[in-house]
């Protein structure tokens, strides 16, 4: 399967592509219709000119004027005239058609238009009008024809102009649509970027609302409403964790004190229970730290001697009889941070190693 470029999968690209296809179809269809309409109009004008010319020739013939003079002066490449007798022979013709047969089939009555090509005088297309000058099939037929070069040149010029103009118009429209869609979707991108930047600690932030009352504005309102619900849910969760941790600290402290005062250090069960209680106390302390962090309480920032914390926690492990920590590689190390959280990190690491 060919992978579609990421840009083409965007709404902006799809809308622009759809607009380009639609405009191309519309302009292409309009161009073809315009060319066909121009051809029809020019053909009609040529037919009207042939009718007028044939009327003049028929009037001259009926007035008894000599046929050679009537047919004289015709451009040998653009026009031709034939007078066909009742038996089908050519009685009189222009110089360019002397000795040639009738160029079209003779109509039984009335007149008929025809388009022919391949005539002996010129290898172009001619528009031909043939008319019976009397009633019945025995009457003579007058034929006039004119070259369609000018018509074809006009149609070809229009088609060439449209073929060059339509792609430019489509490209301009595509650029305009691309710009307009990008401008329209810019608030949506701002909402997406702002939403992506909101983390669990930034639920108080909101996306911008354009205030236009359109779909983008309703989207921003919906996103902000969702953030309101998430913030309210997170606050409830933080309060629950904090309240639960506070409630657990008191009984755990009493249990710890009772075990240390009344317990028997020689009893293995006592040592195990005391260790579990201490572990629960640390877990509650961790939950309180997380609750404070999630509620936005910033940690302390002060100089801390990390090596002192390591030594103190190693001594605690030794006093509790859980092992011996090799401190020969510990050297002075000071940093800026929260001493309680740093102590918790060291303690967790040593507890895990001791276990």
């Amino acid at each position: 399967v060919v992978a579609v470029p990421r840009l083409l999968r965007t709404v902006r690209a799809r809308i622009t592509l759809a607009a380009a296809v639609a405009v191309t179809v519309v302009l292409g269809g309009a161009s073809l219709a315009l060319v066909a309409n121009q051809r029809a109009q020019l053909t009609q004008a040529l037919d009207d000119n042939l009718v007028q010319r044939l009327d003049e020739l028929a009037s001259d013939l009926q007035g008894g004027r000599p046929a050679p003079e009537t047919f004289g002066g015709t451009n040998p490449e653009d026009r031709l005239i034939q007078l066909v007798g009742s038996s089908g022979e050519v009685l009189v013709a222009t110089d360019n058609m002397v000795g040639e047969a009738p160029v079209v089939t003779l109509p039984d009555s009335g007149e008929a238009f025809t388009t022919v090509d391949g005539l002996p005088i010129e290898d172009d297309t001619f528009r031909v009008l043939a008319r019976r000058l009397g009633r019945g099939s025995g009457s003579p037929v007058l034929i006039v024809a004119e070259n369609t070069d000018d018509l074809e040149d006009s149609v070809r010029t229009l088609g060439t102009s449209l073929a060059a103009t339509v792609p430019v118009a489509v490209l301009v429209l595509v650029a305009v649509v691309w710009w307009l869609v990008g401008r329209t979707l810019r608030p949506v991108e701002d909402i997406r970027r702002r939403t992506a930047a909101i983390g669990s600690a930034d639920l108080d932030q909101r996306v911008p609302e354009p205030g236009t009352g359109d779909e983008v504005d309703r989207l921003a309102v919906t996103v902000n409403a969702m953030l309101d619900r998430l913030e309210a849910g997170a606050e409830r969760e933080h309060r629950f964790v904090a309240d639960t941790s506070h409630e657990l600290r008191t009984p755990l402290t009493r249990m710890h004190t009772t075990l240390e005062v009344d317990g028997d250090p020689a009893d293995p069960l006592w040592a195990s229970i005391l260790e579990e209680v201490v572990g629960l106390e640390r877990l509650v302390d961790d939950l309180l730290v997380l609750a404070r962090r999630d509620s936005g309480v910033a940690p302390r920032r002060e100089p801390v001697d990390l090596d002192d914390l390591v030594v103190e926690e190693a001594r605690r492990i030794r006093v509790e009889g859980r092992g011996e920590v090799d401190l020969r590689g510990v050297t002075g190390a000071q940093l800026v941070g929260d001493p309680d959280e740093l102590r918790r990190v060291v303690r967790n690491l040593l507890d895990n190693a001791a276990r």
Side-chain angles (χ1 to χ4, degrees):
V1 179
V2 179
V4 180
R6 184 176 181 181
L7 180 62
L8 297 180
R9 296 199 300 266
T10 62
V11 174
R12 185 180 189 183
R14 292 200 297 268
I15 293 177
T16 304
L17 181 60
V21 172
V23 171
T24 301
V25 172
V26 171
L27 291 182
S31 299
L32 292 177
L34 183 61
V35 171
N37 182 66
Q38 187 192 40
R39 179 182 292 276
Q41 290 184 353
L42 292 177
T43 301
Q44 183 62 46
L46 181 59
D47 290 347
D48 293 341
N49 184 51
L50 290 176
V51 170
Q52 181 180 1
R53 183 168 180 77
L54 194 146
D55 289 341
E56 294 174 355
L57 291 172
S59 177
D60 291 344
L61 290 175
Q62 291 175 357
R65 296 180 184 179
E69 295 180 5
T70 301
F71 291 172
T74 299
N75 189 326
E77 294 182 356
D78 292 340
R79 298 183 182 89
L80 66 88
I81 302 172
Q82 289 180 320
L83 179 61
V84 183
S86 58
S87 59
E89 74 282 4
V90 177
L91 302 178
V92 183
T94 50
D95 295 338
N96 55 6
M97 290 299 292
V98 172
E100 300 292 339
V103 296
V104 294
T105 303
L106 303 180
D108 293 334
S109 61
E111 62 184 23
F113 287 97
T114 310
T115 300
V116 298
D117 55 7
L119 296 181
I121 61 173
E122 186 71 22
D123 194 24
D124 294 326
T125 302
F126 281 77
R127 187 68 173 169
V128 181
L129 171 60
R131 178 192 295 174
R132 289 243 175 225
L133 299 181
R135 297 181 177 179
S137 58
S139 58
V141 176
L142 184 58
I143 300 173
V144 294
E146 187 166 344
N147 197 319
T148 60
D149 271 352
D150 293 340
L151 182 152
E152 296 297 337
D153 288 343
S154 298
V155 173
R156 190 180 302 109
T157 300
L158 177 61
T160 303
S161 300
L162 291 175
T165 304
V166 169
V168 175
V170 171
L171 290 177
V172 171
L173 184 64
V174 165
V176 172
V177 171
W178 179 267
W179 178 78
L180 287 176
V181 174
R183 185 179 180 87
T184 303
L185 294 179
R186 188 177 304 163
V188 177
E189 178 61 21
D190 293 340
I191 293 173
R192 185 204 65 78
R193 189 182 302 110
R194 188 70 173 273
T195 304
I198 296 176
S200 59
D202 307 317
L203 293 178
D204 58 333
Q205 298 186 15
R206 297 295 179 266
V207 300
E209 297 180 7
T212 54
D214 56 6
E215 292 81 356
V216 177
D217 183 61
R218 292 198 295 272
L219 174 63
V221 171
T222 302
V223 171
N224 285 335
M226 179 191 67
L227 291 174
D228 290 337
R229 294 192 297 271
L230 290 176
E231 183 182 16
E235 289 179 356
R236 288 194 300 269
E237 181 181 348
H238 298 160
R239 286 196 301 269
F240 171 77
V241 172
D243 294 343
T244 302
S245 301
H246 280 295
E247 292 295 331
L248 289 174
R249 290 189 72 179
T250 300
L252 287 174
T253 302
R254 287 199 301 266
M255 291 171 62
H256 191 176
T257 303
T258 302
L259 287 172
E260 288 184 342
V261 173
D262 300 333
D264 182 7
D267 187 357
L269 181 60
W270 172 87
S272 176
I273 294 175
L274 180 61
E275 183 180 358
E276 294 297 332
V277 170
V278 172
L280 287 174
E281 287 180 327
R282 292 174 183 172
L283 177 60
V284 169
D285 291 339
D286 292 341
L287 289 176
L288 284 173
V289 171
L290 291 176
R292 287 196 298 269
R293 274 297 182 87
D294 291 340
S295 61
V297 178
R300 290 187 295 168
R301 306 285 294 175
E302 60 185 60
V304 179
D305 291 321
L306 186 59
D307 55 314
D308 292 343
L309 294 181
V310 173
V311 171
E312 292 175 7
E313 291 300 317
R315 185 181 299 113
R316 178 184 60 83
I317 293 292
R318 185 176 62 253
V319 170
E320 293 176 356
R322 303 171 59 193
E324 187 70 28
V325 181
D326 184 359
L327 299 175
R328 288 177 298 178
V330 177
T331 58
Q334 190 179 71
L335 49 80
V336 177
D338 189 322
D340 293 334
E341 294 193 6
L342 289 170
R343 182 182 298 276
R344 183 172 289 103
V345 171
V346 175
R347 179 176 298 173
N348 288 338
L349 288 173
L350 289 178
D351 286 342
N352 289 337
R355 281 196 293 270

